[in-house]
Amino acid sequence: MARQPAAGAMSGAAGLPGIAALATGLLLFAIALVAARWRRPREVAARRDAMSTNGIALQGAAVFTVMWGQVRVTLDPLGTAAIGAAIVTALLFAVALALFLWSTAAMGHNWSLVARVRSDHQLVTRGPFAHIRHPIYTALALVVVAAAVATGRLPRLLIALPLYGLGTWLRVRIEERLLHAAFGVAYEDYAGRVKRFLPSVF
């Protein structure tokens, strides 16, 4: 009888509970994204930077790197490895979804998929933005890790996370330039006291 891998995420094997958690998390995240776009009011003469789409493409490539290919669903669905991966996946998605919803609620009509500053834009420093400047990118990073855990592809994070980091850096650089141009010293003060992605870290 073949021995089941002790750690599915490291062996390349996955279990049905983890795949179910991944599918549920992706569905809920997609619904939250559509809802956030639907709630956004009509555009008001905004300054935007289409170059941020390059960053979006790189972030998407990071997700593709983890998700691409046939998943080997070979773990015992009631085994420790399969249940453990499902729990970790669910927890990562729960934190990511909560952070995304909290962020879009705090931003209100300021939120947009592509970097832009509206004519009535506000500098949001409440909610999660009181602790980190780019909480949505932190949430999306958790989604990438969750996908790797659920599919048993943690080694792919060696490629996916640098790709995601590069895409995020491109988007952050553009967004911060727009915000600095719009709010000047107020944004400098905010950026000086609040870290980008993790409170009190970086």
Side-chain angles (χ1 to χ4, degrees), residues 33 36-37 40 100 104 107-113 116 136:
L33 179 62
R37 285 182 61 83
R40 192 181 67 189
F100 179 81
T104 53
M107 292 185 75
H109 67 265
N110 294 297
W111 181 81
S112 175
L113 189 60
R116 63 100 173 92
I136 291 178

Side-chain angles (χ1 to χ4, degrees), residues 140-179:
L140 293 175
L142 295 177
V143 170
V144 175
V145 176
V149 171
T151 56
R153 293 168 173 168
L154 283 181
R156 293 195 185 188
L157 291 178
L158 294 174
I159 298 173
L161 287 181
L163 273 175
Y164 181 80
L166 178 58
T168 299
W169 178 78
L170 288 174
R171 298 186 71 181
V172 163
R173 187 164 160 265
I174 292 167
E175 290 171 12
E176 292 187 348
R177 185 175 68 238
L178 288 173
L179 289 170

Side-chain angles (χ1 to χ4, degrees), residues 86-98 139 141-147 149:
I87 291 172
V88 172
T89 300
L91 288 175
L92 288 171
F93 263 109
V95 174
L97 188 59
L142 295 177
V143 170
V144 175
V145 176
V149 171

Side-chain angles (χ1 to χ4, degrees), residues 7-43:
M10 293 303 295
S11 68
L16 285 176
I19 297 303
L22 174 62
T24 302
L26 289 174
L27 176 61
L28 292 175
F29 215 96
I31 292 172
L33 179 62
V34 170
R37 285 182 61 83
W38 182 74
R39 289 195 308 265
R40 192 181 67 189
R42 190 172 180 178
E43 203 69 62

